[in-house]
Amino acid sequence: MNTTTQLSDSALVSLYIAGNESAFEQLVNRHKNKVYTTILVIVKDSYTAEDLMQDAFVKAIHTMKSGRYNEEGKFSSWICRIAHNLAIDHFRKEKRSPMITLEDGNSVFNNMSFSEDSAESLQVKEDTHARLRELIQALPQTQREVLMMRHYAEMSFQEIADATGVSINTALGRMRYALINLRKKMLKNNIAYDKNLYSE
Amino acid sequence: MIKTSTQNELIQYVYDELPEEACTQLEAALMQDMELAEGCSELLMIQQLLDEAAAAPRKCAVDNILNYSKSLSLQS
C-alpha cells in the first residue's frame, strides 16, 4: 500500500521536493482532471489541452525542484492558475477560434460509476458534459473566471476576490450569475438536467 | 423574491463556505421557504453536473509528465 495516498497536498509537495517521485504521482493524479478541464474549457481542443497540461506540470516541477514553490497558497489553486494562464496565452496567440475536437469514448471521464451504465446512457452523459463545457466557455469572462477558480481550482470566494481585485460580494454575485446563466442555457438547449440521470 | 444577501449565502452554503451560525439559520430558512429550497436544490444539481463535467486527459499525457519528472531526478 502506498503510504502517500492520504497525505495533504502540502505534505506531498514536501516529499516530492525531498525526492519522492511517488508523492508527485499522487499529486498529478489528484489534480490532473481539474487542470485539464481548466484548460479544455478555454482552448476547446483536447490535444492542445493535453499539451498545455503537460506544460503546466513541467512549470510546476521546475518551480518545486528549484525551491521556489511558495507554500502559502493551495497547490490546486496554484497549478490551476498556471494552467489558466497558459491556456489564455495560447488562446491569444492563436487569434482564431480553435476547432472543437471530438473526444473519444470512455477516456473522457474517469468516473468509475459510469462503467455500470448502458452505452446509450454513457453517450447521453458524455454529450451533456461536452455541451456543458461549451456553455461554460460561452459565459461572460468575469463569470467564467470565478466559476473556474472556485469550482475547478478550489479557491475560496475570498481568495478569488483578492486575486481579481473585487469584493467578496461581487465574487459571489458573479458566481451566482454564472450558475443562473448556465441553468438558463441548459434549459434553452434542452441539455439533460434530470435527477434520475445523475443519481447513484 | 429571495434577497440578494440570502442568494449569496446560498452560494457560500453549497460551496461549504458559510460560517456555522449563518449555516444553521439558512438551514432553518430552507425548511420554511420552498422557493429558497428549490433554489438550493438547483444549485446543488448544477454543482454536481460541473463536477461530472471534468474531463480526463489520456494516460500517455500523464505518463509524459511523470517520466519527465523522473528524468530530472536521475540527472541530479
Side-chain angles (χ1 to χ4, degrees):
Chain A
M1 185 179 165
N2 194 330
T3 54
T4 59
T5 305
Q6 301 302 323
L7 293 178
S8 67
D9 286 352
S10 176
L12 289 172
V13 169
S14 298
L15 282 171
Y16 176 56
I17 291 170
N20 186 330
E21 288 295 321
S22 125
F24 182 63
E25 190 171 345
Q26 290 284 326
L27 272 176
V28 172
N29 284 324
R30 199 175 279 179
H31 298 290
K32 62 181 167 53
N33 291 1
K34 284 178 176 172
V35 172
Y36 178 66
T37 305
T38 297
I39 298 167
L40 185 60
V41 164
I42 295 167
V43 303
K44 292 210 255 183
D45 177 273
S46 60
Y47 297 106
T48 306
E50 282 181 350
D51 285 347
L52 292 174
M53 178 195 72
Q54 292 175 56
D55 290 347
F57 276 108
V58 164
K59 274 194 170 210
I61 288 168
H62 284 288
T63 303
M64 289 189 286
K65 293 245 183 200
S66 63
R68 288 180 288 121
Y69 178 68
N70 176 1
E71 288 187 47
E72 284 176 12
K74 278 189 276 187
F75 179 83
S76 60
S77 306
W78 177 62
I79 189 72
C80 283
R81 203 171 302 148
I82 293 173
H84 177 84
N85 290 342
L86 285 172
I88 294 290
D89 283 350
H90 175 84
F91 191 74
R92 285 176 181 151
K93 280 177 196 162
E94 284 291 295
K95 293 185 190 279
R96 64 178 173 81
S97 296
M99 296 291 289
I100 297 172
T101 304
L102 293 174
E103 294 154 332
D104 56 331
N106 297 344
S107 67
V108 175
F109 300 108
N110 271 349
N111 193 329
M112 295 303 287
S113 66
F114 285 10
S115 61
E116 293 175 5
D117 293 338
S118 68
E120 188 185 4
S121 166
L122 266 175
Q123 190 60 50
V124 170
K125 282 183 178 179
E126 196 174 306
D127 290 348
T128 300
H129 298 150
R131 289 168 74 186
L132 181 57
R133 288 196 293 272
E134 287 174 25
L135 295 183
I136 294 170
Q137 213 279 332
L139 285 172
Q141 193 262 334
T142 52
Q143 293 174 24
R144 187 179 67 234
E145 184 178 58
V146 173
L147 188 142
M148 297 305 292
M149 284 177 163
R150 182 61 193 89
H151 202 90
Y152 294 110
E154 295 177 356
M155 293 168 73
S156 71
F157 287 113
Q158 188 58 59
E159 286 172 329
I160 294 167
D162 293 343
T164 54
V166 298
S167 70
I168 187 168
N169 279 333
T170 300
L172 284 164
R174 285 176 178 173
M175 185 68 173
R176 184 158 54 83
Y177 281 116
L179 296 177
I180 289 169
N181 278 338
L182 273 184
R183 178 176 166 273
K184 281 183 188 167
K185 286 168 189 276
M186 286 165 70
L187 291 172
K188 191 178 169 188
N189 288 275
N190 289 322
I191 293 182
Y193 191 35
D194 183 328
K195 278 182 182 172
N196 295 325
L197 188 61
Y198 294 98
S199 58
E200 290 293 322
Chain B
M1 184 74 182
I2 303 169
K3 284 193 300 180
T4 302
S5 59
T6 311
Q7 287 173 331
N8 282 353
E9 283 187 346
L10 212 49
I11 296 285
Q12 288 178 294
Y13 178 70
V14 298
Y15 278 96
D16 288 328
E17 287 193 31
L18 195 62
E20 200 175 329
E21 194 178 331
C23 205
T24 307
Q25 287 175 4
L26 184 67
E27 282 171 349
L30 285 170
M31 300 295 284
Q32 310 276 331
D33 186 336
M34 280 304 293
E35 190 187 352
L36 190 64
E38 274 178 29
C40 186
S41 171
E42 292 274 3
L43 288 177
L44 289 168
M45 282 172 67
I46 296 174
Q47 195 182 36
Q48 188 180 347
L49 263 182
L50 287 170
D51 273 342
E52 292 173 355
R58 287 174 301 164
K59 185 177 179 299
C60 61
V62 176
D63 287 343
N64 285 345
I65 296 164
L66 299 178
N67 289 336
Y68 179 78
S69 176
K70 282 174 191 161
S71 73
L72 282 187
S73 292
L74 290 173
Q75 286 170 23
S76 59

